[in-house]
């Protein structure tokens, strides 16, 4: 695992995100993904029985962010987390049994927002209460009727309204 040092502005963003829902707005190349990886690692260690969901808008970002998480996150044991890539038709046809297995065997579920919309909202295969952290990469895409907006509006907001 590569060890990277956070700049003060990244540490401030991380500290803020540990305490409350946060949008990290930094220019390209200023380390938003590093902040996300550090936050993921924090939640993996704080709540090892729960999972982290990492939503991205495109399939190429699934592979890119998965590799980054494998390289820069670690479990309390020191080993890298198991990252499940979620995209495409294979996971779109998953049943409850497939999602249950994914939740048992993976630490980080990383995929397109459309698959998370299906898992959290449409088919309700995953109870959001089993997720300790949801990272919305490129969250400016969460508008209108986009899958990312649907996860926020129809999955996360009702859960929080119930006190979760």
């Amino acid at each position: 695992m590569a060890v990277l040092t956070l700049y003060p502005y990244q540490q401030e963003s991380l500290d803020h995100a540990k305490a409350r829902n946060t949008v990290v707005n930094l220019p390209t190349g200023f380390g938003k993904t590093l902040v996300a990886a550090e936050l993921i690692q924090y939640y993996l260690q704080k709540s090892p029985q729960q999972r982290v969901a990492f939503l991205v808008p495109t399939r190429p970002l699934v592979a890119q962010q998965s590799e980054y998480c494998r390289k820069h996150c670690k479990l309390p044991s020191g080993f890298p987390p198991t990252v499940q890539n979620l995209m495409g038709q294979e996971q779109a046809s998953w049943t409850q049994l497939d999602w249950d297995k994914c939740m048992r065997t993976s630490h980080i579920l990383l995929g397109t927002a459309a698959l998370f919309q299906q898992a959290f909202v449409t088919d309700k295969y995953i109870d959001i209460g089993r997720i300790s952290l949801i990272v919305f990469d490129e969250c400016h895409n969460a508008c209108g009727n986009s899958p990312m907006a649907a996860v926020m509006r129809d999955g996360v907001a009702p859960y929080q309204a119930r006190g979760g």
Side-chain angles (χ1 to χ4, degrees):
M1 180 182 94
V3 177
L4 300 175
T5 303
L6 297 176
Y7 287 104
Y9 65 89
Q10 291 170 314
Q11 186 64 54
E12 181 179 346
S13 296
L14 176 62
D15 292 343
H16 195 270
K18 286 178 180 179
R20 66 193 63 82
N21 292 339
T22 301
V23 173
V24 176
N25 182 11
L26 296 171
T28 299
F30 275 64
K32 293 181 293 290
T33 305
L34 176 57
V35 172
E38 291 288 327
L39 188 62
I40 289 168
Q41 182 168 306
Y42 170 79
Y43 274 92
L44 288 174
Q45 294 186 16
K46 177 183 173 192
S47 305
Q49 72 285 0
Q50 292 186 301
R51 301 296 174 250
V52 170
F54 195 141
L55 286 68
V56 298
T58 65
R59 294 168 68 128
L61 280 173
V62 172
Q64 179 183 325
Q65 301 299 43
S66 291
E67 181 59 32
Y68 196 92
C69 287
R70 285 183 188 98
K71 187 174 180 182
H72 295 288
C73 296
K74 65 179 178 178
L75 299 172
S77 65
F79 290 104
T82 302
V83 181
Q84 175 66 56
N85 290 4
L86 301 167
M87 60 182 176
Q89 290 304 310
E90 180 182 341
Q91 283 90 17
S93 64
W94 275 10
T95 65
Q96 183 68 58
L97 289 174
D98 297 313
W99 284 104
D100 289 345
K101 180 180 178 189
C102 178
M103 290 291 288
R104 276 193 318 276
T105 61
S106 305
H107 302 102
I108 301 171
L109 285 63
L110 202 152
T112 58
L115 278 170
F116 282 104
Q117 179 183 11
Q118 177 184 350
F120 290 147
V121 178
T122 308
D123 295 330
K124 296 184 178 9
Y125 288 134
I126 299 175
D127 175 4
I128 287 185
R130 296 179 64 198
I131 305 293
S132 61
L133 171 69
I134 302 176
V135 175
F136 292 89
D137 194 20
E138 305 280 338
C139 69
H140 59 274
N141 289 298
C143 56
N145 290 323
S146 73
M148 203 173 277
V151 169
M152 286 185 182
R153 179 187 59 242
D154 304 326
V156 175
Y159 175 74
Q160 289 180 328
R162 292 189 308 267

